[in-house]
Amino acid sequence: MRVVKSAAVVIAVFGALAWYVYDYNTDPDGGKAKAEAAASAQASEDATHDPNIGDCVKVKDPQGEPLPTIVDCGSPEAEYKTADKLLGPDLKCDSKYAYGIQVHQSHQLDYTLCFTKV
């Protein structure tokens, strides 16, 4: 009798675990789908703050913690155009540029973005 009870408990635990794994991976409104949607949204948001050379940006808090946001070059919001990206830590833009932002990222190479006025 004791063996039957133990077997029933083990089966119930493994069944619950299997159900959780199945539900996590297949539920379209939660679990894995929710985590992937959040990661995708964060990646899209991050991409709007990582301009390439030629992109126009507006800069939030230019004197404190500057955050460049990519905007259309023809829009009135456009303040600067990305002119150069200097790879390496603590590099400074020379005088031909109007503005520069040093970007420090964990697990990646630091760089400096150099901008000209639009």
Side-chain angles (χ1 to χ4, degrees), residues 50-87:
D50 187 21
N52 292 315
I53 293 175
D55 288 340
C56 291
V57 298
K58 66 178 181 177
V59 179
K60 179 181 176 187
D61 194 17
Q63 301 304 321
E65 296 282 333
L67 180 65
T69 302
I70 299 172
V71 296
D72 184 73
C73 288
S75 79
E77 291 182 305
E79 299 174 319
Y80 300 101
K81 187 169 189 170
T82 310
D84 203 359
K85 184 175 188 176
L86 308 174
L87 299 176

Side-chain angles (χ1 to χ4, degrees), residues 83-97:
D84 203 359
K85 184 175 188 176
L86 308 174
L87 299 176
D90 301 321
L91 296 176
K92 298 194 186 304
C93 301
D94 32 35
S95 60
K96 67 181 176 182
Y97 301 111

Side-chain angles (χ1 to χ4, degrees), residues 27-40:
D27 183 3
D29 297 322
K32 187 176 182 179
K34 196 173 194 177
E36 288 173 351
S40 176

Side-chain angles (χ1 to χ4, degrees), residues 34-49:
K34 196 173 194 177
E36 288 173 351
S40 176
Q42 185 63 47
S44 294
E45 174 65 21
D46 291 346
T48 64
H49 300 295

